[in-house]
Amino acid sequence: MDDNKIIKTEYSAEMQKSFVNYAMSVIIARALPDVRDGLKPVQRRTLYDMYELGIRYDRPYRKCARIVGDTMGKYHPHGDTSIYDALVVMSQDFKKGLPLVDGHGNFGNIEGDGAAAMRYTEARLQKITQEAFLGDLDKNVVDFVPNFDETEQEPSVLPVKIPNFLINGSEGIAVGMATSTPPHNLGEVIDAMKACMLDENITTRELMRHVKGPDFPTGGIVTNKDELLNIYETGTGKIKLRGRVEFEQLKGGKTNVVITEIPYTMIGMNISKFLSDVAALVETKKTMDVVDISNQSSKEGIRIVIELKKDADAENFVNLLYKKTRLEDTFGVNMLAIKDGRPETMGLKAVLKANIDFQFEIATRKYTSLLAKEREKKEIQEGLIKACNVIDLIIEILRGSKDRNMAKACLVEGKVDGIKFKSKESRVMAAQLMFSEKQANAILEMRLYKLIGLEIEALINEHEETMANIFRYEDILERRESMAQVIINELDQYKREYGRKRRTAIENAGEAVYREKEVEETDLVFLMDRFGYAKTVDLGTYERNRETADAENRFVFICRNTGKVCLFTDTGQLHTIKMSDLPYGKFRDKGVPVDNVSNFNSEKETIIYATSQTELNLRQVIFATRQAMLKLVDGGEFDVSKRTVAATKLAEGDRVVRVVSLMEQRSIVLQTKEGFFLRFSIEEIPEKKKGAIGVRGMKLGAKDAVENVYFIQNTVETAIEYKGKQVILNNLKPAKRDGKGTKIRV
């Protein structure tokens, strides 16, 4: 082929083809388990490599670095991290209901601490892994395929004798699909598998008499028992989980809430996230009942202790934890696995059926292989027994033959030419020998001690045993009932040796209902200084420090403790803060930056007005901007549930100069940067919606802008200082809105 030849192809077609190839590679060869052995390729290859290296359960541990390196070099040409991570997970009893690897060293913990580096840790196979996963590999029970560089052979699937896909569960993300199967109880799954073998028409509901539901290694409580039937029929759904909580009564009426089991989804860093979430509930005043929280978990198990105040409602507090933290969580089920080379979502019965078919397949191959070996043994044993009966003749043939081939030809074909016999009778008898090729080889290799009487008797006993095995194997292969009984016997053995009690409780529980304590309404004083730090104090504290409070704070007003504070900014935004989110305490306490309790950003905007929601609802609000746009808005429009809304619409480059609640003001005075003052009646300002831009209040010069806005009460003299000169606003001549105004000379 010409190296310079350019092959033209449609870009979209090439992309589609390449993506499909990549997706199928990830789906089949990396991310999803095979329904037959419940293992992903990396897990299967790691276990097989340990088996090949001889790292058995009854032998010394070997360094994980050796296992990982050997697996990567022979079978899994991907990163060593992915192999070691898979090895670690297979050893963690808090993730796997049935750990497949016996780890020695630091293999991480339930709280999210990772395993030590692979050069420090050691591992070997668990006993059940060796027996139930790898035990019959030498009996031609599964197909072997070339590895990635065709220098080794690896099993396409392990001959697993238990439904590992259900027992250990599986999680994996492929391309366009994901698998998420919860772990189950070994004994329950085996009972269900036996029931399915004995009755092919069994229903999922009947199977669930055996499989009650998931059995997570972390325990916990499944709270939606009635929904499990649909989940197991379809293979998809959501399982609701709760941690297990106990109450410890202390002296003085105090109660400790003790979490002894966590939801499976809380494994790892989510435990520390739970602790921080509880602390956040206290900081945000969602609960005032917590005195202390501590994580006392150890190797013995989970123990998270929350100490409550005296006479606190412990059950109500636990309901709060269910609603606001991951103490109650959901486990998304999608029982997706590779079946017949394709990804398929299966229900409980379909998974069991696939495992049963696989068990019959490997049993058929196993006993076919064993039968062939027994028949071969039978042939040789019969030849040796026959040889013992005519041993004198055979010795005569051997002594009279020139070489091995001559003796073998006589034994197999009766050729006596060239062989020296002691008598004609011996020649005649030798010519009638008709041993098979294998029998002849066995006779020629037989040692003399085999002629001892006891050895001959042992040979006859072995032959009888071989015949019994042949009869048994033929019965197993010919009758499905016999094979089913053999499989059931093996399953019963695994259940007796490795079964354990259920850890996860299955029940129906109603939705957690948290009853918030009714707060007694009272008036508080809101204080915010010029640096943006806010706090609340009671009325008595404020009255005792009124002069200092008014002097040191930018905004001071009374607000209900159940109400909200409204902050208007120069960008036209309204930010609200619940009074309950603000610190309440002593007058000299610093308070909290309003940035921390609202969406206000002090770097981009400035607060120009603050008031209570209650006060706002009773008034109209006046807005004035740099470009002299004015409007009145009914305060009720700002009674919204959102933390931030647009309080007014602004033209490009415009900013709000003044926002104020309308009370007894009668006139408004606009003052520009260039010294123009315009006074007119507030009645000329129309009422608009908060989304309106307003009307022009004053004609401005090309580079002029409104700098200040003042309000006048008709009976009260209002004086200001402008560039060192006192200006009495009441003396300004009243004009009409949208005028140019009067320039004040200084």
Side-chain angles (χ1 to χ4, degrees):
M1 181 178 174
D2 186 359
D3 292 339
N4 297 321
K5 183 179 179 181
I6 297 175
I7 300 173
K8 292 185 178 181
T9 183
E10 179 65 32
Y11 179 78
S12 60
E14 182 62 31
M15 283 295 294
Q16 183 177 359
K17 178 183 175 184
S18 300
F19 183 79
V20 168
N21 290 340
Y22 160 72
M24 290 307 295
S25 172
V26 173
I27 291 167
I28 303 298
R30 295 194 71 173
L32 300 186
D34 193 301
V35 70
R36 296 172 293 176
D37 62 7
L39 298 171
K40 298 178 186 179
V42 64
Q43 296 170 323
R44 185 181 304 117
R45 288 165 174 169
T46 303
L47 294 177
Y48 177 67
D49 185 75
M50 294 175 72
Y51 174 79
E52 285 290 285
L53 290 173
I55 312 175
R56 314 296 170 85
Y57 76 94
D58 53 355
R59 296 184 186 178
Y61 295 94
R62 297 282 288 275
K63 284 287 185 184
C64 290
R66 170 66 193 277
I67 299 168
V68 170
D70 205 63
T71 302
M72 182 167 58
K74 287 182 178 179
Y75 308 115
H76 198 69
H78 302 288
D80 57 351
T81 303
S82 65
I83 301 172
Y84 185 51
D85 287 348
L87 180 68
V88 167
V89 170
M90 286 192 289
S91 73
Q92 293 176 327
D93 58 4
F94 53 86
K95 283 190 178 178
K96 295 294 182 183
L98 187 70
L100 304 179
V101 171
D102 180 7
H104 185 243
N106 177 13
F107 275 80
N109 59 35
I110 195 171
E111 296 184 44
D113 297 324
M118 68 180 82
R119 61 182 179 275
Y120 300 119
T121 55
E122 298 176 328
R124 64 185 178 189
L125 293 170
Q126 290 278 12
K127 185 179 179 184
I128 189 170
T129 313
Q130 190 169 320
E131 293 177 351
F133 285 64
L134 301 156
D136 289 332
L137 276 175
D138 58 342
K139 296 180 178 66
N140 189 34
V141 290
V142 293
D143 294 331
F144 277 73
V145 295
N147 69 337
F148 61 92
D149 61 0
E150 299 188 356
T151 59
E152 302 279 346
Q153 292 284 312
E154 61 175 310
S156 58
V157 63
L158 292 187
V160 180
K161 297 178 182 178
I162 55 176
N164 181 56
F165 179 68
L166 289 171
I167 292 168
N168 269 330
S170 182
E171 289 187 22
I173 300 174
V175 178
M177 60 185 69
T179 181
S180 180
T181 304
H184 293 79
N185 184 274
L186 181 142
E188 293 181 2
V189 173
I190 285 177
D191 287 342
M193 186 171 176
K194 286 159 53 181
C196 195
M197 288 175 66
L198 298 173
D199 181 6
E200 292 186 356
N201 298 318
I202 194 169
T203 64
T204 304
R205 186 183 295 275
E206 290 169 334
L207 285 172
M208 288 186 66
R209 294 174 185 169
H210 305 286
V211 178
K212 309 297 182 185
D215 187 22
F216 297 100
T218 54
I221 304 168
V222 171
T223 61
N224 59 333
K225 180 179 179 181
D226 288 346
E227 297 176 20
L228 294 182
L229 176 60
N230 183 60
I231 292 173
Y232 282 121
E233 282 184 335
T234 62
T236 60
K238 289 185 177 180
I239 294 172
K240 294 180 182 177
L241 288 170
R242 282 183 185 173
R244 191 175 295 279
V245 178
E246 296 176 357
F247 300 117
E248 292 181 354
Q249 299 300 326
L250 306 179
K251 293 180 180 179
K254 289 187 175 181
T255 303
N256 277 357
V257 172
V258 183
I259 298 163
T260 57
E261 294 176 6
I262 59 172
Y264 187 67
T265 52
M266 203 194 281
I267 289 175
M269 298 306 293
N270 284 323
I271 293 181
S272 58
K273 174 72 165 56
F274 169 75
L275 298 175
S276 62
D277 285 346
V278 176
L281 291 175
V282 177
E283 290 174 6
T284 57
K285 299 181 181 178
K286 291 286 189 297
T287 179
M288 305 293 287
D289 293 334
V290 178
V291 175
D292 187 32
I293 180 170
S294 60
N295 185 4
Q296 301 175 12
S297 303
S298 64
K299 290 182 179 179
E300 282 68 43
I302 293 292
R303 181 177 168 84
I304 300 171
V305 181
I306 304 172
E307 185 181 340
L308 302 184
K309 290 180 179 177
K310 181 180 179 181
D311 299 327
D313 187 341
E315 291 190 4
N316 193 45
F317 173 74
V318 170
N319 284 339
L320 174 67
L321 297 183
Y322 287 150
K323 291 188 74 69
K324 299 294 184 180
T325 72
R326 296 192 73 168
L327 190 61
E328 179 177 271
D329 208 353
T330 57
F331 182 96
V333 177
N334 185 24
M335 293 166 65
L336 178 72
I338 303 300
K339 181 183 178 185
D340 299 328
R342 298 179 60 184
E344 184 177 330
T345 299
M346 292 168 280
L348 175 62
K349 184 177 178 181
V351 172
L352 291 173
K353 184 70 168 58
N355 275 269
I356 291 168
D357 291 344
F358 183 54
Q359 294 309 310
F360 275 97
E361 179 188 338
I362 62 176
T364 300
R365 294 181 63 164
K366 172 183 175 179
Y367 288 105
T368 300
S369 176
L370 290 175
L371 179 60
K373 288 182 179 179
E374 291 298 315
R375 283 175 172 168
E376 186 177 335
K377 283 169 63 178
K378 173 198 168 193
E379 180 184 346
I380 292 172
Q381 288 166 352
E382 288 177 344
L384 292 176
I385 291 171
K386 180 180 175 182
C388 288
N389 293 332
V390 290
I391 192 64
D392 293 335
L393 176 62
I394 289 174
I395 291 173
E396 193 173 338
I397 294 170
L398 294 176
R399 294 186 67 181
S401 299
K402 293 180 180 179
D403 54 31
R404 178 189 174 98
N405 291 335
M406 182 180 288
K408 184 177 178 180
C410 179
L411 294 174
V412 174
E413 301 172 19
K415 292 182 179 180
V416 294
D417 297 338
I419 300 176
K420 295 179 180 180
F421 290 95
K422 293 181 180 180
S423 64
K424 292 182 179 180
E425 290 81 1
S426 296
R427 178 181 290 273
V428 172
M429 291 176 63
Q432 295 174 358
L433 294 176
M434 294 295 289
F435 289 100
S436 69
E437 184 111 1
K438 291 178 181 178
Q439 289 174 335
N441 287 330
I443 292 168
L444 292 171
E445 293 170 2
M446 183 176 66
R447 297 185 178 183
L448 288 175
Y449 78 88
K450 289 287 185 181
L451 300 177
I452 299 172
L454 290 176
E455 289 293 329
I456 295 173
E457 187 178 338
L459 178 62
I460 293 171
N461 291 336
E462 283 180 17
H463 180 253
E464 291 176 355
E465 185 180 335
T466 300
M467 293 303 294
N469 286 339
I470 290 173
F471 177 78
R472 177 167 170 263
Y473 296 158
E474 286 177 342
D475 180 63
I476 291 172
L477 291 169
E478 290 170 4
R479 295 175 61 247
R480 183 179 176 86
E481 295 81 3
S482 298
M483 186 176 288
Q485 191 58 51
V486 169
I487 295 170
I488 288 172
N489 291 342
E490 284 188 335
L491 291 173
D492 286 337
Q493 178 187 340
Y494 294 130
K495 180 183 175 181
R496 282 193 303 271
E497 190 168 353
Y498 303 106
R500 58 165 175 76
K501 290 184 178 179
R502 163 173 283 278
R503 295 170 180 166
T504 302
I506 309 291
E507 60 185 49
N508 283 314
E511 185 177 350
V513 178
Y514 172 66
R515 302 181 305 278
E516 292 192 27
K517 291 183 179 178
E518 293 186 5
V519 180
E520 183 181 348
E521 286 200 26
T522 183
D523 285 334
L524 297 176
V525 178
F526 171 82
L527 304 173
M528 191 181 92
D529 63 21
R530 63 183 183 277
F531 301 109
Y533 282 80
K535 63 189 174 189
T536 61
V537 297
D538 60 64
L539 283 170
T541 301
Y542 170 68
E543 290 296 339
R544 290 192 298 273
N545 301 275
R546 177 188 286 267
E547 188 175 340
T548 305
D550 292 345
E552 293 181 353
N553 290 285
R554 186 179 171 199
F555 297 109
V556 180
F557 53 83
I558 295 173
C559 186
R560 302 293 280 178
N561 62 338
T562 56
K564 290 190 290 187
V565 174
C566 298
L567 307 177
F568 292 88
T569 71
D570 61 341
T571 59
Q573 300 295 307
L574 166 64
H575 302 292
T576 60
I577 306 172
K578 290 181 179 179
M579 285 288 281
S580 58
D581 291 341
L582 293 167
Y584 168 79
K586 299 176 182 178
F587 178 72
R588 284 299 171 190
D589 288 347
K590 188 174 183 181
V592 62
V594 291
D595 304 52
N596 294 359
V597 289
S598 70
N599 294 331
F600 171 70
N601 188 337
S602 58
E603 295 181 0
K604 296 182 179 179
E605 52 188 342
T606 303
I607 297 171
I608 57 176
Y609 182 56
T611 187
S612 70
Q613 183 73 67
T614 306
E615 180 68 23
L616 202 61
N617 288 344
L618 301 174
R619 311 287 178 187
Q620 287 180 304
V621 182
I622 301 174
F623 287 83
T625 75
R626 286 182 187 174
Q627 295 178 9
M629 303 306 294
L630 303 174
K631 69 175 180 179
L632 283 172
V633 181
D634 185 275
E637 285 203 38
F638 303 113
D639 191 356
V640 292
S641 58
K642 293 183 180 179
R643 295 181 69 188
T644 300
V645 295
T648 186
K649 185 177 180 180
L650 294 175
E652 185 176 351
D654 200 4
R655 289 265 175 164
V656 178
V657 176
R658 188 77 187 271
V659 179
V660 68
S661 296
L662 181 61
M663 289 184 282
E664 297 179 1
Q665 305 94 324
R666 293 291 177 265
S667 300
I668 184 172
V669 178
L670 304 181
Q671 176 231 312
T672 72
K673 289 192 299 182
E674 294 183 357
F676 286 92
F677 286 74
L678 178 65
R679 173 187 174 187
F680 56 91
S681 173
I682 287 176
E683 293 179 355
E684 293 191 49
I685 304 174
E687 183 174 326
K688 300 278 188 180
K689 295 292 183 182
K690 68 176 187 290
I693 200 167
V695 298
R696 190 169 67 177
M698 185 178 185
K699 292 178 181 177
L700 300 174
K703 296 182 180 180
D704 206 359
V706 173
E707 190 173 53
N708 283 308
V709 180
Y710 305 103
F711 295 95
I712 304 173
Q713 297 179 26
N714 292 343
T715 58
V716 180
E717 184 178 282
T718 304
I720 65 165
E721 185 176 315
Y722 175 69
K723 294 185 179 181
K725 179 179 179 180
Q726 188 181 52
V727 178
I728 299 174
L729 299 178
N730 303 66
N731 294 339
L732 292 172
K733 182 180 179 181
K736 293 290 185 182
R737 178 179 63 80
D738 204 24
K740 189 174 181 181
T742 303
K743 189 174 178 68
I744 301 295
R745 305 291 180 181
V746 293

